[in-house]
């Protein structure tokens, strides 16, 4: 089954404690990205990756890091989480973005609370 | 600066009636538009899209209308079913460029039996 898998689904942590949210896709997609969803603001892009070892900042990258060592995996790293990073996070992947249809496939989400 | 706006946070309709969800955008460079549907505890899933060369795209019960001069698009669901109850996100961007994709805040649709 084609899917994007995020782990964990729920996470409560404390300020300053490093954490990693994993994301894996089994569709051989080149493009992967991370979004956060906050009330009234929709989905905002944090980081994206066009291919292995190619990553770049989205609209709200502050406080986050990513890596793309393998095509299927795109972990999101919070080195020193702060309460304003409490949010719902989605990982997404899509085929070659040069194609006309930019349909993204999303993971089920990770709800993060930073106390 | 929210370039894509869904001004109605929620909408409630009766089963069998039409649901109309609206979306406005400000960036005239956008020329490709998508709607995603999201159920609780799941990620958004693609529903329907339209490019700027069209003003209408239909897929079964779902139709998207685009009014470029007004920078406005709408999603029509006819007839509405209880299973359509979900949050609907409007997204706008340019083909071949996911990096500029912008999402609206979403509209929660409730279809009452």
């Amino acid at each position: 089954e084609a899917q994007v898998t995020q782990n964990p689904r729920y996470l409560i942590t404390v300020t300053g404690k490093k954490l990693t949210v994993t994301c894996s896709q089994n569709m051989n997609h080149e493009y992967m990205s991370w979004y956060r969803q906050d009330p009234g603001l929709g989905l905002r892009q944090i980081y994206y990756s066009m291919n292995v070892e190619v990553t770049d900042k989205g609209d709200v990258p502050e406080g986050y890091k990513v890596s793309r060592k393998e095509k299927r995996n795109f972990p999101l790293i919070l080195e020193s989480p702060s309460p304003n990073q409490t949010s719902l996070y989605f990982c997404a992947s899509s085929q070659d973005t040069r194609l006309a249809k930019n349909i993204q496939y999303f993971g089920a989400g990770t709800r993060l609370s930073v106390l | 600066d929210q370039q894509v706006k869904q001004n109605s946070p929620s909408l409630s309709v009766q089963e069998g009636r039409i649901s109309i969800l609206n979306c406005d955008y400000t960036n005239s460079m956008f020329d490709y538009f998508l709607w995603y549907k999201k159920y609780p505890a799941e990620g958004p899933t693609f529903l329907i899209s339209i490019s700027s060369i069209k003003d209408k795209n239909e897929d079964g019960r779902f139709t998207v209308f685009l009014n470029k001069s007004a920078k406005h698009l709408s999603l029509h669901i006819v007839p509405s079913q209880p299973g359509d109850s979900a949050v609907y996100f409007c997204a706008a961007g340019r083909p071949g460029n996911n990096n500029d994709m912008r999402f609206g805040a979403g509209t929660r649709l409730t279809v009452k039996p």
Side-chain angles (χ1 to χ4, degrees):
Chain A
E1 180 189 354
Q3 59 185 5
V4 178
T5 303
Q6 293 178 230
N7 280 298
R9 295 290 313 278
Y10 303 91
L11 180 59
I12 301 174
T13 189
V14 294
T15 299
K17 186 176 181 181
K18 180 179 179 180
L19 67 91
T20 299
V21 184
T22 64
C23 175
S24 179
Q25 51 94 4
N26 63 359
M27 295 169 279
N28 201 36
H29 285 167
E30 291 185 3
Y31 183 92
M32 296 185 75
S33 62
W34 276 101
Y35 293 88
R36 60 179 286 173
Q37 182 192 352
D38 300 291
L41 295 177
L43 294 164
R44 294 181 294 167
Q45 191 177 58
I46 302 170
Y47 267 95
Y48 64 92
S49 170
M50 303 286 282
N51 214 324
V52 176
E53 302 291 0
V54 180
T55 64
D56 210 341
K57 297 176 181 178
D59 292 328
V60 288
E62 295 77 20
Y64 305 95
K65 284 175 58 178
V66 293
S67 69
R68 188 92 181 273
K69 295 187 173 67
E70 306 163 282
K71 198 171 188 178
R72 62 182 292 126
N73 295 322
F74 190 44
L76 179 69
I77 303 156
L78 284 72
E79 294 271 3
S80 183
S82 62
N84 64 11
Q85 292 178 298
T86 293
S87 187
L88 178 58
Y89 292 86
F90 290 102
C91 178
S93 73
S94 66
Q95 292 177 331
D96 187 346
T97 59
R98 289 166 293 181
L99 298 176
K101 282 196 174 184
N102 290 350
I103 298 171
Q104 296 190 67
Y105 298 82
F106 287 84
T110 296
R111 186 166 293 281
L112 171 65
S113 294
V114 183
L115 305 177
Chain B
D1 176 31
Q2 279 193 277
Q3 298 182 50
V4 178
K5 294 183 180 179
Q6 294 176 255
N7 292 319
S8 298
S10 63
L11 175 67
S12 180
V13 300
Q14 207 66 36
E15 181 179 6
R17 307 296 287 266
I18 184 171
S19 295
I20 300 176
L21 293 88
N22 294 303
C23 177
D24 297 294
Y25 61 97
T26 58
N27 190 339
S28 58
M29 297 295 289
F30 292 147
D31 57 5
Y32 196 73
F33 307 89
L34 307 92
W35 285 93
Y36 285 84
K37 180 166 76 171
K38 182 187 178 304
Y39 290 120
E42 295 183 11
T45 56
F46 170 73
L47 183 61
I48 193 169
S49 63
I50 188 168
S51 74
S52 60
I53 61 173
K54 294 185 175 182
D55 55 18
K56 176 183 174 181
N57 188 27
E58 193 171 351
D59 183 1
R61 296 185 298 112
F62 302 91
T63 303
V64 56
F65 295 91
L66 175 62
N67 183 333
K68 282 185 65 179
S69 61
K71 294 192 180 70
H72 176 83
L73 64 154
S74 60
L75 174 68
H76 292 212
I77 306 173
V78 184
S80 301
Q81 299 174 353
D84 296 328
S85 296
V87 176
Y88 290 79
F89 290 99
C90 170
R94 292 178 289 162
N97 194 336
N98 268 344
N99 317 325
D100 288 343
M101 189 70 65
R102 293 291 183 268
F103 287 81
T107 296
R108 181 178 301 278
L109 173 65
T110 302
V111 180
K112 298 179 179 178

